[in-house]
Amino acid sequence: GAVVSQHPSWVICKSGTSVKIECRSLDFQATTMFWYRQFPKQSLMLMATSNEGSKATYEQGVEKDKFLINHASLTLSTLTVTSAHPEDSSFYICSATSGRLSYNEQFFGPGTRLTVL
Amino acid sequence: QQQVKQSPQSLIVQKGGISIINCAYENTAFDYFPWYQQFPGKGPALLIAIRPDVSEKKEGRFTISFNKSAKQFSLHIMDSQPGDSATYFCAASTEGYQKVTFGTGTKLQVIP
């Protein structure tokens, strides 16, 4: 149980285009979802926290207008990278948690590799 | 105060040996300490976790040792196997706060 999926697993896009990444909790209702960014050989950096039906809370330094997060249902959150540039190339990982799960345990998706040309 | 320091950055262990990764924290409000295992190109997966009311937790070959007074905790991998080669992250969070603070990661390589 507690499986989180992401789609797509990798995406290549041209500079200036927008890319949408989906994060789904497959077998539980995720009251909260998190979006992380991970550069090669580095740790996960939290970008934002989203609760179903409300606006996402962004970490300091993360551009809200560039990284649009929508958490429309208890099983789906999307991250849209708008007007992507090469410096946005990274590994994006989502995680989900539920008040029913033990002790704030987060379940992570497999990640999405974004390459902006 | 939110930082979690992790060492070493990389570790090479022979098959059958013990791998030890250490973490330290400052925020005494942290009360949940998970360890995650990440393979290249994959998301992190929860390996084992501990709460500060116990000093040790063991699950199979993986053991967390926790020293509340020193604000340190460590992961021990007994009988390390090549399949354990991955990056390991320690983390910490507070009850009800949900945000997890990650350590910097340790790349473990187990050689035959």
Side-chain angles (χ1 to χ4, degrees):
Chain A
V3 178
V4 176
S5 70
Q6 279 184 243
H7 178 80
S9 56
W10 59 270
V11 58
I12 301 173
C13 69
K14 291 184 178 180
S15 184
T17 61
S18 294
V19 174
K20 181 184 284 188
I21 302 169
E22 292 185 350
C23 176
R24 293 181 185 272
S25 57
L26 298 185
D27 51 3
F28 68 101
Q29 293 186 325
T31 50
T32 304
M33 286 184 167
F34 303 86
W35 286 96
Y36 295 85
R37 184 172 181 176
Q38 186 178 33
F39 290 106
K41 299 183 181 180
Q42 293 190 25
S43 189
L44 286 77
M45 299 300 297
L46 180 65
M47 298 174 66
T49 303
S50 73
N51 293 296
E52 185 263 340
S54 60
K55 289 184 179 180
T57 302
Y58 290 81
E59 294 299 301
Q60 193 172 13
V62 177
E63 299 176 59
K64 301 178 184 181
D65 295 332
K66 181 165 190 62
F67 299 100
L68 301 179
I69 292 172
N70 185 288
H71 192 162
S73 76
L74 284 172
T75 59
L76 174 64
S77 176
T78 60
L79 168 68
T80 301
V81 183
T82 62
S83 186
H85 287 94
E87 58 265 30
D88 298 324
S89 298
S90 188
F91 193 50
Y92 292 88
I93 306 171
C94 72
S95 72
T97 188
S98 166
R100 294 182 181 179
L101 299 174
S102 63
Y103 229 86
N104 304 331
E105 184 174 347
Q106 289 188 26
F107 295 93
F108 287 83
T112 296
R113 173 76 58 194
L114 170 63
T115 302
V116 185
L117 303 177
Chain B
Q1 247 200 341
Q2 291 295 322
Q3 194 176 16
V4 177
K5 296 180 180 179
Q6 183 172 348
S7 63
Q9 190 174 23
S10 62
L11 183 61
I12 300 175
V13 173
Q14 278 206 307
K15 179 182 176 181
I18 303 174
S19 304
I20 301 174
I21 304 171
N22 300 300
C23 285
Y25 63 97
E26 290 295 324
N27 187 352
T28 55
F30 285 143
D31 59 1
Y32 176 65
F33 302 89
W35 284 88
Y36 292 91
Q37 179 188 56
Q38 185 181 30
F39 292 104
K42 302 294 183 183
L46 179 67
L47 193 61
I48 187 172
I50 196 169
R51 301 179 192 182
D53 53 348
V54 295
S55 60
E56 186 175 282
K57 183 174 181 180
K58 183 176 180 179
E59 289 185 1
R61 296 184 294 109
F62 301 91
T63 300
I64 299 179
S65 297
F66 187 84
N67 186 329
K68 187 174 182 178
S69 61
K71 292 184 286 186
Q72 296 175 346
F73 58 111
S74 61
L75 175 69
H76 295 223
I77 306 175
M78 312 298 287
D79 187 26
S80 299
Q81 299 296 313
D84 297 330
S85 298
T87 299
Y88 292 81
F89 293 96
C90 62
S93 70
T94 56
E95 182 180 9
Y97 188 54
Q98 293 194 325
K99 282 188 187 180
V100 175
T101 301
F102 284 87
T104 48
T106 297
K107 185 175 182 179
L108 170 65
Q109 184 181 357
V110 181
I111 55 177

